[in-house]
Amino acid sequence: GAVVSQHPSRVICKSGTSVKIECRSLDFQATTMFWYRQFPKQSLMLMATSNEGSKATYEQGVEKDKFLINHASLTLSTLTVTSAHPEDSSFYICSAPGQGSTGELFFGEGSRLTVL
Amino acid sequence: GNSVTQMEGPVTLSEEAFLTINCTYTATGYPSLFWYVQYPGEGLQLLLKATKADDKGSNKGFEATYRKETTSFHLEKGSVQVSDSAVYFCALSDTSGNQFYFGTGTSLTVIP
């Protein structure tokens, strides 16, 4: 089946630095990718929809200058957390819809960000 | 609008017990329905899906039936194992397949 890969799986950084997380669709093309943030009590929050060749669409309350999303190609989307602070520590997950009419989402493995 | 309401957890069961996790939805049109499972420290994996009314999705002993009349997609398993311990998410995609909606997740712990 379709595979989505995320990298890095874990990253620790100092406060004030920027961190980039990559999301790749390995065996299919994804014109759209979704970025989620998962909070400690497990709920998923959709942050933004990444669109290949155009600007990302951010959900209400998500700072677009803080969470930069770039969908550079049909197989790669990146999320950059700029000037990270401890409150940005979280589990970030990307996903991409598979091809076909069933609307199944394929998820990356997730990236655990810890900001010291 | 579209939404998914899922039974809150956490749920703790003994091995071989029967599992039900309730999920109801609100949607216009004809959504597809999904159950995803998340094991500790991992991303979400598709567990099963159903794309139209009365369809039954099944995988690894789990089942869920798309009930349009009750707008439900309850997850069931007859005999859970310790390895089933995970977080389970109910989800729907709208008719276009471009929008996805998730429940809040239900944490399941199975004890030997």
Side-chain angles (χ1 to χ4, degrees):
Chain A
V3 176
V4 173
S5 179
Q6 241 179 284
H7 178 80
S9 58
R10 291 181 178 272
V11 56
I12 301 172
C13 69
K14 292 182 179 180
S15 188
T17 60
S18 295
V19 173
K20 181 186 285 187
I21 300 170
E22 294 185 345
C23 180
R24 294 181 184 274
S25 57
L26 296 185
D27 54 356
F28 68 104
Q29 295 182 333
T31 55
T32 300
M33 288 186 177
F34 302 100
W35 286 95
Y36 295 86
R37 181 173 178 175
Q38 187 169 33
F39 293 94
K41 292 215 168 182
Q42 86 221 1
S43 64
L44 289 171
M45 182 192 82
L46 178 64
M47 299 174 66
T49 301
S50 167
N51 304 298
E52 190 270 337
S54 64
K55 291 183 181 180
T57 304
Y58 289 83
E59 296 299 304
Q60 191 172 10
V62 177
E63 299 176 60
K64 58 182 68 176
D65 294 332
K66 174 128 185 104
F67 298 100
L68 299 180
I69 290 174
N70 186 345
H71 200 137
S73 74
L74 287 171
T75 58
L76 174 64
S77 175
T78 59
L79 167 67
T80 301
V81 183
T82 63
S83 186
H85 290 282
E87 57 266 30
D88 299 324
S89 298
S90 195
F91 195 56
Y92 294 89
I93 309 176
C94 71
S95 69
Q99 295 168 339
S101 61
T102 57
E104 177 180 342
L105 270 183
F106 297 94
F107 285 83
E109 307 93 332
S111 299
R112 170 70 62 189
L113 170 64
T114 303
V115 184
L116 302 176
Chain B
N2 297 328
S3 67
V4 175
T5 302
Q6 184 173 344
M7 168 179 150
E8 287 196 22
V11 174
T12 302
L13 294 173
S14 296
E15 205 164 21
E16 299 184 0
F18 184 85
L19 169 71
T20 299
I21 301 178
N22 289 337
C23 173
T24 57
Y25 67 91
T26 302
T28 55
Y30 303 94
S32 293
L33 300 174
F34 308 87
W35 277 100
Y36 285 85
V37 59
Q38 183 181 31
Y39 298 103
E42 299 182 10
L44 279 68
Q45 305 172 28
L46 179 68
L47 180 59
L48 53 85
K49 65 183 179 185
T51 58
K52 62 183 188 297
D54 299 325
D55 269 2
K56 178 187 282 187
S58 61
N59 185 26
K60 299 182 181 179
F62 291 90
E63 293 183 340
T65 301
Y66 189 144
R67 302 280 188 205
K68 195 167 176 64
E69 64 275 14
T70 54
T71 61
S72 65
F73 194 55
H74 305 321
L75 182 69
E76 296 183 336
K77 186 173 185 181
S79 177
V80 293
Q81 305 300 313
V82 173
S83 56
D84 294 327
S85 298
V87 179
Y88 293 82
F89 291 90
C90 185
L92 72 83
S93 69
D94 67 2
T95 307
S96 72
N98 294 325
Q99 298 287 332
F100 299 84
Y101 304 84
F102 284 84
T104 52
T106 302
S107 175
L108 169 67
T109 301
V110 180
I111 53 177

